[in-house]
Amino acid sequence: MTLAVWAPLLLPLLAAPLARRLAEQLAPRAAALVLAATAAALGAATLASLGLLAVTGLLHLPYGAALAHLSPAHWHPGRLSDPEWAPTAVLAATALLAVGALAARAARHQYADLRRARAATGDAPAGLRALVRRPGPAAPALTVLTDDRADAYALPGRPPRIVATTGMLAALTGPERAALLAHERAHLSGRHHLLLAATEYAAACHPALRPLRPALGYHLERWADERAAAEVGDRALTARAIGRAALAAARAPAPAPARSPRLAATAGPVPRRVRALLAAPAHPHHALRAFAALALAGCLTATTCATAEAGHDFHRAVETAQGDPTG
Amino acid sequence: MTDTPARRPAGELEAQVLAALWAADRPLTPQQVQQAVTADLARTTVATILARLHEKGTVARTKAGRAFAYTPTVQDADGLAARRMRTELERGRDRSTVLARFVSDLSDEDERLLRDLLGEQP
């Protein structure tokens, strides 16, 4: 388990940019699924590698070895010498603790947001099962909050709700409101919050996976935009609804949200969404798409094989040290 | 999936009618609702939806000439929901991704670009 155990920690550096490149060449739904699946697979492999490194180190300790009935003389899990194992295992264990802390913080944050949003609609907080389960066939109810500031979002759970402020509804025309409602319905029926949550936790496992979060967020919005455009049967109308809603939200009279210091050279997600709806469907760059898809598939296969290999090596090393004759 | 307006679940139309009532700053008659929704809805469909919303207590109605005029009711009598919402919104940028918002914040450049795309005057 020398190289195999390190590969899942290094491959995300290559795979995450590839996944983003590939997503740009795919339709929104496929792009979102590729990004979420890549994040989940690489995050899980990172966890497995860190876990193996930490446990291998732990078994070098007399107490750990005794617990697993290992004979220390036969415990040679890799090419690293015994003194080299200590810092490696300590680093891996520290990384695992950091991952745990980040994941716990993300979970607390998400739960607090959901609880606050549920309190605003007067519901009891939704349980975990309600968040995971597929929503029923009935259209989600619209909940209106009296607030001049324009805001709207999909609130997953039970009952699923579309929440909009009076400020948002007043800023749009009737057909634009229909596009807004169709957009939020697409988020809820597609359970987009689960993809976002999976990517959020994966980002806690490996810093290289963090850029996948905003990328996934963008493609999920595009997915819902396209569903809304198909439902109202008018792409330009849907584009106008998004644009006017964003301008209304930016005009918010109350405490101005801190403007993100984004570089002017790249357009933010809202103008890109509007442009994507107004423009004719872009022709994908076939060669680039094929290359990115192959390279990403290679990275994910290598990660999976390396994780399996590292697990297998670990198992064999343990059996050898336990004096198992088949080992 | 064939999404003709007539085949859509009733809840979708209910949401559209309710949104139109909230967007208006005065009570609306079924005819005015029909114009505000502009989803090729028959007047009778609008009337049915309004009656259902009234039954649920989601809207209140007053006599306006020969027809009824409808206004949405604030379900929380003390305006509690609105106050809670304010605190929720004020947390501003410190949001998790769990609530998919319709639109994200704009930079100044985004705003200019957007007005360009929509053909609007700044």
Side-chain angles (χ1 to χ4, degrees):
Chain A
M1 64 184 278
T2 45
L3 187 66
V5 77
W6 298 102
L9 300 179
L10 296 173
L11 280 166
L13 296 169
L14 191 62
L18 276 172
R20 289 174 63 197
R21 217 33 90 70
L22 176 61
E24 290 299 327
Q25 301 297 326
L26 293 173
R29 181 169 182 269
L33 294 177
V34 162
L35 287 170
T38 301
L42 294 176
T46 301
L47 269 189
S49 281
L50 289 177
L52 278 178
L53 285 169
V55 170
T56 307
L58 193 70
L59 293 180
H60 274 90
L61 300 176
Y63 178 73
L67 203 66
H69 309 292
L70 295 186
S71 128
H74 297 106
W75 179 229
H76 302 299
R79 260 181 241 154
L80 290 184
S81 63
D82 284 1
E84 282 169 331
W85 264 111
T88 309
V90 167
L91 274 178
T94 311
L96 272 179
L97 286 178
V99 167
L102 284 172
R105 200 180 67 170
R108 244 195 344 262
H109 199 169
Q110 287 176 342
Y111 180 71
D113 267 9
L114 279 175
R115 206 186 40 202
R116 243 194 327 274
R118 280 285 161 193
T121 61
D123 297 323
L128 195 60
R129 261 178 56 198
L131 286 169
V132 175
R133 208 181 303 158
R134 180 179 287 281
L142 168 69
T143 301
V144 182
L145 300 166
T146 42
D147 196 306
D148 292 340
R149 285 169 289 176
D151 197 8
Y153 52 84
L155 177 53
R158 237 161 114 94
R161 287 183 187 280
I162 296 170
V163 181
T165 62
T166 44
M168 177 62 88
L169 296 177
L172 303 178
T173 65
E176 288 167 356
R177 285 193 295 270
L180 162 92
L181 293 171
H183 173 104
E184 301 301 346
R185 268 201 306 275
H187 279 319
L188 291 171
S189 67
R191 288 185 289 180
H192 292 177
H193 62 285
L194 294 183
L195 298 181
L196 280 168
T199 308
E200 186 82 42
Y201 291 116
C205 297
H206 200 302
L209 300 178
R210 277 181 207 167
L212 297 183
R213 278 181 309 183
L216 176 69
Y218 170 75
H219 289 286
L220 286 177
E221 292 306 322
R222 284 278 304 123
W223 179 355
D225 287 347
E226 290 294 340
R227 282 283 304 270
E231 225 173 272
V232 301
D234 191 337
R235 297 175 70 83
L237 166 73
T238 309
R240 208 161 54 237
I242 297 161
R244 279 160 44 89
L247 290 173
R251 269 196 302 273
R259 289 271 165 104
S260 45
R262 213 186 284 123
L263 287 176
T266 55
V270 174
R272 282 168 66 208
R273 284 165 59 193
V274 170
R275 203 183 274 150
L277 281 169
L278 291 177
H283 288 291
H285 197 300
H286 288 292
L288 181 61
R289 186 173 65 180
F291 171 75
L294 275 176
L296 179 63
C299 280
L300 292 180
T301 311
T303 304
T304 312
C305 292
T307 309
E309 165 98 7
H312 181 70
D313 285 356
F314 175 78
H315 186 228
R316 279 231 321 239
V318 167
E319 283 195 334
T320 307
Q322 280 175 336
D324 187 316
T326 62
Chain B
M1 281 224 296
T2 51
D3 276 335
T4 55
R7 293 284 166 85
R8 292 208 187 133
E12 289 187 34
L13 298 174
E14 255 181 51
Q16 281 194 50
V17 166
L18 192 59
L21 288 173
W22 274 104
D25 48 7
R26 63 203 160 85
L28 297 183
T29 63
Q31 190 182 359
Q32 288 166 329
V33 171
Q34 188 192 14
Q35 282 160 2
V37 170
T38 58
D40 305 326
L41 290 184
R43 181 97 62 86
T44 50
T45 312
V46 173
T48 310
I49 293 169
L50 285 169
R52 199 180 310 139
L53 288 172
H54 180 245
E55 227 165 80
K56 285 194 218 167
T58 315
V59 301
R61 66 181 182 192
T62 48
K63 201 85 182 151
R66 288 193 307 158
F68 281 114
Y70 293 83
T71 41
T73 50
V74 181
Q75 271 157 343
D76 195 326
D78 305 324
L80 205 58
R83 259 210 312 284
R84 283 184 188 140
M85 183 59 188
R86 214 156 257 285
T87 56
E88 200 269 330
L89 281 176
E90 262 149 25
R91 285 179 53 88
R93 304 190 57 74
D94 182 30
R95 280 171 177 152
S96 70
T97 51
V98 75
L99 302 174
R101 304 198 108 76
F102 187 46
V103 288
S104 49
D105 294 335
L106 300 178
S107 69
D108 292 341
E109 176 66 12
D110 283 352
E111 206 169 319
R112 196 191 58 72
L113 207 61
L114 208 49
R115 288 188 195 284
D116 258 15
L117 285 168
L118 298 178
E120 262 187 36
Q121 298 307 312

